[in-house]
Structure formats: C-alpha cells, structure tokens
C-alpha cells in the first residue's frame, strides 16, 4: 500500500506587509515547483496587507518611497506601478508617491491573485486570531497556541510580526496614566479625541509617524508641537531625482572612522557632481547590511548613538508634497519643532502642562507617542520564545538574533523551524524595515522553506518535445499547448498568445512558455504583462530548464531590456540551430522585428547555417523565400514560397514572401487577385491580416485604382474599427499617405482616427527606428508639426539609427509640412542611401521615395522627378507611375 504523505505546512504569523509578501512568494514558488503546501495565515486583522503601516485612509498619508521602488517582487520593479495603472490611476509613474492605503490594497490583491493561481497546489487558510505561545512538537514541528484557545501544528513557522510596539518609557508616569496620552496612534479610534477641536497637540518624535500625524491634525487655530532629542524632521525626496551614482571605493575597510570619512567624501562628491546628496546615500543601500556586519559591536553602538538620527532622517525621506505641506504649516506657525525631551507632565482641567528638558512648558490638549517602534518585542508570542530560550535578543538589544532569517536560540543554534523577516532582524541587518529589503527576504525565505521539499527527482528519460524535436522541460499537456502556440507563431496565425498562456497555466514553472509569451508581448503588442511574465520565465529557468531553454530565456531578457539581445540571439542560434522560435525572432519578417543590425546578406547566411537542422521544413523554406526576394532573386523566391505553401498552405511567411515577389516584379493584377483570394480563405486566421490587406492595396495603388484603394482602406485597414496599435501605424497610416501623394485620395485624410488609435508614446517616443519611420509618416500626413519636433527630439536621444536617420527624416518631413519643398527634397534625397538601416522591407521604405517624388514636383524640379520615376519604372511596371510620369511638364 502506498503511503500518502500530508502536504508540508507553513504557518505565517502576521498578515501585514512582511507576512503578505512571504505568503505571495510561498504560493508562487510552490506552484512553479508543483510542491503541495498547506499555508496558514494567522492574524486577527480583517484584511491582509494592511498592518499598521497601510491601514490609514487619510489621503495625505503617502508612501515615503516612490511607486517605482515599492513592487512586491524584487525581480519585477514596475509591478506596483502597473497595478496602479490598471486600478484607476492610468497616468501614475514610477516617481509618484501613492497613498499608504492604496499600497495596502495592492498587497491584498496581489496575495489574492497568487492564491487563485496556486489552487490545486497550495491550500491557504486564514485564521483571524493571534498566536500567543509557541512550543516544540514532539515530532520536531512547531505548535502555535492561539488566542481563541485552539492550537495548530506546522512544519515551520514564519514570524512576520512587524515592528516591536513602542513602550513609552520616555514618558513620566503621570503622563502615561493620563487619558489624554495616546500611546498607539494607529489603533482604531486613537485619534478621535485629538482629531476634534482645536486644542494644541504635542507629538513626541519627529520621524515619519509624526509627519503623517502633523498633516492629519493640522488646522487653523491649533499649534501642533513636535519634539525629539535631535529636533530633525525627515528630509524630503528630490522633486527631480538626479541620476544614480556608483558606491565609493573603500567600503571594504572595516574601520568605522575610515568608513565614515569615505562616506562623507562620497557625499561631497555627489553634491559637486549632481548638486544633491541623495544619489550618494542611495548608492550605499545595496551595501548597508554588509557594512553593518563588518563593524564591531562597539562600532555599531557608536554609529547608532552618533549618526543614527542623522542617518534615519536622510535615509527615510518624505514625499515632496508632504514636505511642502509641512513647510506651509511651519510658516503659518501651526507646526513648531522642538529639540529636547519631556521631563514632567501635569494634567489640570482637561489640559496637560508638559515641561521640556530646556525648562519651557507647553500647554496642550493631547500628547501622542510618535517615537516609533521599540527595541524589544514584548507581546505574548515573543515573550514565550524568550522565556523558553527559543529566541534571544538581537545585537544592541534590537530585534532578535537570527541567521539567514532563522531564529537563534539561547545556545546560538538555529535548529528550530522558526523564521522571521523585516523589523525583527534589525539588530542583524540594521536596514530591514522597508519594502525593498523585506521583499528580498520574503523571496529568500520561500526558497529556504521549500528547497528541501523540491525532490531531486530524475528527469524522465523521454521528455516531451516541440514540433521540431527539441526537448521541453514540462509535462505532456503543457507541451501540447506550447506546440500549438509555436505552430501558430510560425504560420503567422492568431491564437499563439492563448496557446502559450494555456501552457503556463497548465505548468506555471514552464520557463519556455513564459519566455514565448513575454516575447510576443514585447514584439507584437500581445495583451501580456511583459515584465511580470519575463520575471516568471527567469524564476522558472533557474529552477527547472535545460541549457537551451535557459539560453532562450536569457535571449528574451536581453532583447526586452535592450542589453545586446541581438548578439545573444545569434549566439543562441549558433548553439541551437534547430530552435524555430529563436530563428523566427532573428529574421526580420512579418512576425518579428528581427536582429536590427542583420542585413539581408547576414540574415541569409544565418538562415543557411540553420538549414541542416530544419531539413527542408516549410517554415525554414518560407524564411529563405523572403530573404531571396530581398536580394532581388525574385524567380527563386517565388519557387521557394510556392514549395512552402504546397507543404503548408497556411504559412504566412511564404505568403508574405510571394506578396513581395508579385509587387517587386510588377505583377500587380496577378498579385492582387491571388492575395485577395488567400486573405478570404486561409488568411482568415492570420494574425497580421491587415498587413496582407496593405499588400493588396499596394497593388491597387500601383494599378491606379483609387476607388479600390479607398474601399479596401475602409473595409480592412480603417484604424480603430479594424486595425489598432502599431499595425495601424505601419499599414493604415503609410497607405493613407501614399494614396495622398499620388492623388489617389481626394478630400480630407482621416488621420484623426489613426492618431487616436495609436498610443502617444508609440508616436512620439518609439522604441525602434522602424516604428519611428512610420510615426513620422503619420504625423506628416496629419500635419502635426509640434509632434514631429517631439519625435525628432526623442530620436536625437535614442539609438544610433534613430539619431542618424530618423532625426533628419523628421526635419525633412517638417520642411514638407511647412511647404519648404526644396529643403525637404534635399533632406529626403540624402537619406535614401541609408534608409535600409531602419529595417523593414523595400516596399515599406518606398514611402520615403514617394515623398521625395512629391517634394521634387512641388519644388518645380521636374527633371529630377522624371529621373526618379524612370528608375522606378525600370524596376517594375506600375500604371500609376506612368500616369505621374506623363503628367510632368517643364
């Protein structure tokens, strides 16, 4: 009889930010690895993710870190910003400061999504009670005794209890016993008293808690006093952050005095270079824990006593808007900041007389403890652990002693399955209370907890394969879905995104499936959260992938991040020539932009080198046909395309190649009729159907049939209704402009619909030179000079091709819009020899040549226009060009 083993159980005590991030990582890691897990969340709060920090509903309480630094995932920094954009704040950017309450909603929603995706692998239970005692189970497990009288047993427990509660040890006994003393300002109803009326209030502490409460309690007729030993408020973030700078040399020197000098020199250098000290301090963040470890206990104590307050006020900053509000309150004398301590308190007739260490007396209605977390944990759970020796106080009396997040006992051992993260590790790490640190610890804890459960099972002797015989690190069902997606990509048919999404839904740890989805989102504008999907691909590749799959994930990562992706892709194909998806991504055709610096000759060599691995497969033959027509070997290209279509009539690449053969050879009637029939039949499922319609319209344009062009544009290329996004820009926009240039479109050009369907960033800040070319065409057709200038300015700061080709192209197009035709003609003529650097096909780049022809005629340079038309007619027959040639006079 087979023994059925119970799933491993992890209890997470605390469902604030630290507990929620840990639960998210546990859910997702277990799901990727297909590791059964019982996850217990123990916390009395009604909603996960809030904790003390993110429960406030006051919209003036904002995060003290910009949204771009608050992602819950260390390997997906834009996740929170994208969540805000999807949830009612579409214009938010990474430099904006969201409200604390919104961040709590983000954490709760992200956990909910992780739980949904983990169904079938991870069982999650939420226990709305407190854990008050922890003991060892006889089997080496952990027993948690709960406040409701129940007990639960877990294989391991994560104590995500957040910061220690403040002790108010600074307050005189008379003050601690007063009803007008608020010891826990974030507890429900704590501010009901101070929040009503206009009696003055004293905030003891001048950190971020005091800042938030000063905003809440600020009102005319009241003075809010803020008191601390340093009298320092947090520094503000910069309105316009300066660029990053590297950490200084000398950080490996363990002497505090020398380290101090190195840091101060670094800050001075930052002020001289950037006019700002913040880049210097931010550059230390990745090294803080290591530097803290390098100091002796005596040096750590010296640093805390001497520089602790200064560090905190500069390291933990407030948003610029918050700083401005505080400044206004101080100027209006509604906020007064004092240096010192409370030495005495007397309550009389509903008022408190507070004596300060400098002898002054403040008369206030309320005193609120804003001193922040205490050093020692004093709740029942931690007291039980300290009493049993299962936990001991951390360095300098701060937090608890840990080793890699695991609790150390009184003997210095880490034997128990007890873990923690965040504030309890402050003594060990110093900087450990902010989300950027906690999210890393949560990911590391999930890895540590689940590593022993991920069995080192042997890879099956026969793994499933893709449609080209390459092994896949997944199971048969996910492999079948992946094969369907790959087949659709190679045929240029719709549905590839859904097939790949089904593959990763069946196997969330399938690295290649995630990478294919990310590639489609990046290259084709598929509805994919590209950064999120790429992060999943990279996580999965680290855990379960062979060398080819890891190489492909690396290729996609570099391609998306713009980090030598082309070079990596060529190297990948040299090592794995049979990888059809990689080959499709490398060769610039209809589906992908290809390797940007791969000219036709080099692309052809790449395809020819991979030929033996594909052994005459219709996809490889289709690519070869496309490249042959680019060489001008039209007859050979046509034969190859027909051979591929005989094997696979739905091959979009072969159809695309044949469409170019017909156009470049001047076979416009035959090309129009054949392609129109294919689009109505096999092409109904083509993912780039608009591009095939564009090819048919080019034939109709060349045949000088303006009525047919107009009908096709409205039926198959109209932006918004039929075509959207970049496809509308590349196909619909360029056709519209070409029709106008050759007098084939009478009346107003419908450019408004075109510009509305394309995102402004794509028009004015395109990622590639090819997109930029078509953006310039569309803006010229619309006569939008300001946008053309913005596109030019973007190109000047972009890649080399955009700087050297697109920027001058924008200048020439702007001259055309302003009817400076001779200048426009000179600029366009100079660009024709280098235009192929933008990529795309000769038929697509031909729009610039046609614009030049228009500029020449408009400038009265009819002889030059005749020469250009004669050269075009020599290349291929076109009735429209013959009409234009006959109409030239002078």
């Amino acid at each position: 009889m087979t023994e059925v083993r119970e799933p491993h159980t992890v209890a997470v005590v605390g469902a604030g930010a630290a507990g929620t991030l840990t639960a998210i990582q546990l859910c997702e890691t277990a799901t990727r690895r297909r590791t059964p897990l019982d996850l217990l969340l123990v916390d009395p709060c009604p909603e996960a993710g809030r904790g003390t920090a993110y429960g406030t509903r006051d919209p003036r309480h904002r995060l003290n870190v910009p949204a771009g630094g608050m992602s819950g995932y260390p390997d997906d920094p834009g996740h929170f910003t994208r969540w805000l954009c999807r949830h009612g704040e579409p214009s938010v950017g990474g430099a904006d400061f969201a409200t604390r309450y919104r961040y709590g909603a983000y954490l709760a929603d992200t956990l909910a999504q992780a739980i949904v995706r983990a169904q079938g692998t991870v069982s999650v239970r939420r226990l709305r009670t407190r854990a008050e005692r922890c003991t060892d189970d006889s089997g080496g497990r952990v027993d948690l005794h709960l406040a409701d009288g129940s007990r639960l047993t877990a294989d391991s427990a994560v104590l995500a209890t957040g910061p220690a509660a403040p002790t108010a040890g600074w307050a005189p006994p008379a003050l601690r016993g007063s009803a007008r003393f608020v010891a826990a300002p974030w507890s429900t109803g704590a501010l009901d008293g101070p929040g009503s009326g206009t009696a003055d209030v004293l905030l003891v502490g001048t950190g971020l808690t005091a800042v938030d409460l000063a905003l809440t309690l600020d009102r005319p007729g009241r003075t809010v006093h803020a008191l601390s030993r340093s009298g320092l408020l947090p520094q503000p973030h910069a309105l316009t952050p300066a660029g990053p700078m590297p950490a200084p040399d000398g950080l490996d020197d363990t002497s505090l005095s020398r380290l101090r000098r190195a840091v101060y020199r670094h800050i001075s250098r930052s002020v001289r270079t950037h006019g700002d000290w913040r880049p210097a301090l931010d550059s230390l963040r990745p090294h803080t824990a290591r530097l803290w470890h390098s100091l002796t206990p005596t040096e750590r104590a010296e640093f805390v006593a001497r520089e602790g307050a200064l560090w905190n006020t500069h390291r933990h900053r407030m948003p610029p808007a918050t700083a401005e509000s505080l400044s206004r309150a101080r100027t209006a004398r509604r906020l007064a900041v004092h240096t010192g301590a409370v030495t005495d308190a007397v309550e009389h007739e509903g008022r408190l007389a507070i004596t300060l260490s400098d002898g002054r007396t403040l008369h206030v209605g309320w005193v609120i403890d804003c001193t922040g977390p205490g050093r020692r944990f004093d709740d029942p759970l931690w007291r039980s652990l300290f009493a049993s020796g299962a936990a001991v106080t951390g360095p300098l009396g701060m937090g608890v002693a840990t080793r890699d997040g695991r609790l150390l006992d009184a003997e210095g051992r880490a034997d128990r399955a007890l873990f923690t993260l965040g504030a309890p590790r402050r003594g060990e790490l110093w900087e450990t209370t902010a989300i950027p640190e906690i999210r890393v610890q949560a990911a590391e804890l999930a890895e540590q907890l689940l590593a022993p459960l991920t069995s080192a099972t042997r890879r099956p002797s026969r793994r499933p394969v893709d449609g080209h015989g390459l092994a896949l690190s997944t199971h048969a069902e996910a492999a079948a879905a992946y094969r369907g997606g790959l087949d659709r990509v190679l045929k240029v048919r719709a549905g590839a995104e859904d097939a790949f999404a089904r593959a990763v839904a069946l196997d969330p740890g399938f690295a290649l499936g995630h990478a294919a989805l990310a590639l489609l989102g990046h290259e084709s504008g598929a509805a994919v959260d590209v950064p999120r999907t790429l992060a999943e691909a990279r996580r999965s590749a680290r855990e379960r992938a062979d060398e080819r799959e890891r190489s492909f994930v690396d290729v996609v990562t570099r391609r998306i991040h713009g980090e030598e992706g082309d070079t990596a892709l060529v190297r990948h194909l040299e090592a794995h020539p049979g990888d059809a998806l990689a080959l499709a991504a490398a060769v610039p055709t209809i589906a992908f932009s290809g390797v940007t610096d791969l000219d036709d000759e080099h692309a052809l060599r790449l395809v020819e080198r991979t030929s033996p691995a594909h052994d005459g497969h219709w996809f490889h033959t289709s690519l070869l046909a496309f490249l042959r027509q680019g060489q001008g070997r039209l007859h050979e290209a046509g034969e190859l395309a027909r051979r591929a279509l005989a094997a696979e009539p739905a091959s979009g690449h072969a159809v695309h190649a044949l469409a170019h053969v017909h156009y470049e050879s001047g076979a416009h009637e035959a090309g129009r009729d054949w392609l129109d029939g294919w689009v109505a039949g096999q092409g109904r499922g083509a993912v780039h159907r608009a591009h095939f319609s564009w090819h048919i319209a080019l034939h109709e344009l060349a045949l000088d049939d303006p009525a047919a062009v107009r009908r096709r544009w409205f039926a198959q290329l109209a932006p918004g209704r039929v075509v959207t996004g970049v496809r509308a820009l590349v196909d619909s926009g360029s056709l519209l402009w070409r029709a106008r240039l050759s007098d084939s479109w009478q009346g107003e050009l419908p450019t408004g619909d075109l510009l509305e369907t394309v995102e402004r960033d794509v028009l004015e800040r395109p990622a590639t030179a090819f997109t930029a070319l078509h953006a310039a065409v569309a803006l010229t057709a619309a006569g939008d000079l300001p946008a053309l200038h913005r596109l030019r300015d973007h190109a000047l700061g972009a890649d080399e091709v955009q700087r050297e080709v697109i920027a001058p192209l924008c200048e020439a197009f702007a001259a055309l819009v302003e009817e400076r035709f001779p200048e426009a003609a000179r600029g366009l003529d100079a660009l024709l020899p280098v235009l192929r650097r933008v990529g795309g096909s000769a038929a697509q780049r031909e729009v610039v040549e046609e614009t030049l022809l228009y500029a020449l005629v408009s400038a009265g340079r009819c002889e030059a226009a005749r020469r250009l038309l004669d050269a075009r007619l020599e290349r291929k027959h076109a009735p429209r060009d013959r009409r234009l040639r006959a109409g030239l006079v002078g």
Side-chain angles (χ1 to χ4, degrees), residues 44 63 68 132 134 223 264 299 320 340 406 619 691 728 734 819 845 856:
L63 300 171
E132 295 192 331
C134 179
T223 299
Y264 277 109
E299 287 174 324
R406 195 164 189 150
F619 166 66
H691 188 65
S734 67
E819 299 187 354
R845 298 190 298 268
L856 289 171

Side-chain angles (χ1 to χ4, degrees), residues 812 815-816 820-830 851-852 855-856 859 861:
L816 189 81
R820 295 182 281 115
F821 297 118
E823 185 178 337
R826 284 194 300 273
L828 294 170
D829 189 48
T851 308
L852 170 60
L856 289 171
R861 295 177 56 191

Side-chain angles (χ1 to χ4, degrees), residues 342-375:
V342 174
T343 58
D344 194 16
V346 177
E347 184 173 354
H348 179 66
E349 295 182 354
R351 303 274 289 179
L352 289 167
I354 305 297
T355 303
L356 306 184
S357 53
D358 62 2
R360 285 181 297 169
T361 300
L362 300 177
H363 296 277
V364 298
W366 303 87
V367 175
I368 303 177
D369 187 353
C370 300
T371 55
R375 285 196 169 197

Side-chain angles (χ1 to χ4, degrees), residues 9-205:
T9 300
V10 176
V12 177
V13 179
T20 299
L21 290 173
T22 302
I24 290 168
Q25 290 288 346
L26 284 168
C27 283
E28 296 191 353
T29 305
T31 302
R32 268 196 321 274
R33 300 179 180 184
R34 289 177 275 174
T35 301
L37 181 70
D38 279 346
L39 178 59
L40 308 174
L41 289 176
V42 184
D43 192 297
C45 294
E47 185 180 8
R50 296 282 177 203
T52 300
Y54 308 118
T56 171
R57 290 181 176 270
D58 191 329
R60 292 166 294 189
H61 295 172
R62 296 191 170 269
L63 300 171
N64 64 305
V65 174
M70 291 295 288
S71 168
Y73 298 96
D75 54 358
D76 184 5
H79 189 260
F80 176 49
T81 306
R82 299 197 306 279
W83 184 90
L84 288 171
C85 291
R86 292 193 302 268
H87 290 80
E89 300 182 50
S91 60
V92 73
D96 295 324
F97 291 83
T99 65
R100 294 184 178 277
Y101 194 79
R102 290 288 277 164
Y103 190 71
Y106 160 72
L107 290 176
D109 184 60
T110 303
L111 175 59
Q113 295 297 322
I115 291 172
V116 169
R117 290 192 297 269
Q119 286 181 353
T121 303
V122 182
S123 169
V124 181
R125 283 191 292 152
R126 180 77 192 281
L127 305 177
R128 288 182 170 83
T129 184
R130 295 185 185 279
E132 295 192 331
R133 194 157 59 93
C134 179
T135 57
D136 294 335
D137 177 77
S138 57
R141 305 172 84 199
V142 175
D143 278 344
L144 291 172
H145 304 258
L146 308 180
D148 61 7
S150 63
R151 185 179 75 175
L152 66 86
T153 302
D155 294 287
S156 53
V158 178
L159 309 183
T161 54
T167 61
W170 54 268
L175 179 59
R176 285 201 300 271
S178 171
R180 291 188 167 269
F181 176 61
V182 179
W186 297 120
S187 59
T188 303
L191 298 180
D192 289 350
S196 60
T198 58
D200 290 354
V201 176
L202 171 62
L203 309 177
V204 179

